[in-house]
Amino acid sequence: DADVTQTPRNRITKTGKRIMLECSQTKGHDRMYWYRQDPGLGLRLIYYSFDVKDINKGEISDGYSVSRQAQAKFSLSLESAIPNQTALYFCATSGPLDNEQFFGPGTRLTVL
Amino acid sequence: AQSVTQLGSHVSVSEGALVLLRCNYSSSVPPYLFWYVQYPNQGLQLLLKYTTGATLVKGINGFEAEFKKSETSFHLTKPSAHMSDAAEYFCAVTPRANNDMRFGAGTRLTVKP
């Protein structure tokens, strides 16, 4: 079984809709991250969380919010989706003493 | 803040040829450096990382990279390309104090038969 899972894997939605992307991990890591990937831009950090009570904005947090429901779960919400949020979204985790991040398979989001 | 520049968005090599993917970083504090690979329709997988110690780092699938502080570089190499190496490669940097990882824009490697 995969250590980091993301649901859904693909989603098409319309402008103005609220959408939630979910991430679960079985690695026992405290630290979790949300990134978006756009062609030619690499990955950019949206939000990160170092434990259940800790939420931090990343490089591009505008238009997004997150919820850390438990150590193993970290959700990303788009309150009112817009077309330029069309991208590939990745969740990642890391341990406290290891800067290596472990990535989920990604969610491809299309906003029409 | 730290940043990464990957020179060349696309690199094409013949099977059996040397692979060289270039990465330069900027960081005001000693960095940790990473190379990740992304195969089509998959997430990122760690190839190798530099944290401390030996500056020549060996990774999976025959790849290696050398941390050169004076050149602020962390180029990725493989002596002989294989068809299965075709993928997108990302260089990343993070300060040692936290996990604020910054990625380069990526280099797509094509391997010709």
Side-chain angles (χ1 to χ4, degrees):
Chain A
D1 289 339
D3 294 320
V4 184
T5 57
Q6 293 183 233
T7 56
R9 293 294 312 278
N10 289 281
R11 180 71 182 268
I12 299 174
T13 191
K14 294 182 178 180
T15 297
K17 294 292 187 180
R18 184 179 188 276
I19 185 167
M20 178 180 287
L21 309 183
E22 299 187 347
C23 176
S24 295
Q25 53 110 350
T26 59
K27 298 189 74 66
H29 287 162
D30 286 324
R31 302 183 176 195
M32 298 187 73
Y33 311 80
W34 275 104
Y35 292 90
R36 65 175 281 175
Q37 182 183 14
D38 299 278
L41 295 178
L43 278 75
R44 292 179 292 167
L45 183 63
I46 305 172
Y47 272 95
Y48 61 102
S49 169
F50 283 179
D51 65 41
V52 175
K53 297 180 180 179
D54 177 77
I55 301 290
N56 304 281
K57 293 183 177 180
E59 189 181 353
I60 53 162
S61 60
D62 288 348
Y64 302 94
S65 63
V66 291
S67 173
R68 186 79 184 268
Q69 302 95 323
Q71 186 207 35
K73 296 184 182 296
F74 192 36
S75 299
L76 176 72
S77 294
L78 287 66
E79 296 301 325
S80 180
I82 57 177
N84 76 1
Q85 291 177 314
T86 292
L88 189 54
Y89 290 84
F90 286 103
C91 175
T93 74
S94 70
L97 299 177
D98 186 348
N99 286 63
E100 176 184 351
Q101 295 186 16
F102 298 85
F103 286 81
T107 294
R108 186 169 297 281
L109 176 66
T110 302
V111 183
L112 303 176
Chain B
Q2 64 280 9
S3 65
V4 173
T5 301
Q6 290 184 239
L7 300 176
S9 58
H10 291 87
V11 170
S12 181
V13 301
S14 298
E15 192 173 19
L18 172 71
V19 175
L20 171 60
L21 305 183
R22 299 178 186 274
C23 172
N24 288 89
Y25 71 90
S26 171
S27 179
S28 58
V29 298
Y32 290 149
L33 295 159
F34 305 80
W35 275 99
Y36 284 87
V37 60
Q38 183 181 30
Y39 298 104
N41 299 315
Q42 295 187 25
L44 278 70
Q45 176 184 358
L46 183 71
L47 270 180
L48 50 79
K49 63 180 178 181
Y50 168 78
T51 54
T52 59
T55 56
L56 181 61
V57 181
K58 296 186 184 298
I60 62 171
N61 301 336
F63 285 93
E64 63 182 36
E66 187 171 10
F67 169 56
K68 292 187 176 181
K69 183 178 178 180
S70 62
E71 299 178 7
T72 60
S73 69
F74 191 57
H75 301 330
L76 182 71
T77 61
K78 181 174 181 178
S80 177
H82 192 272
M83 297 296 291
S84 61
D85 295 327
E88 188 151 23
Y89 292 79
F90 293 94
C91 182
V93 62
T94 183
R96 295 185 179 187
N98 60 50
N99 291 97
D100 184 8
M101 188 172 286
R102 300 298 174 101
F103 287 81
T107 297
R108 184 167 300 278
L109 176 66
T110 302
V111 182
K112 299 175 292 186

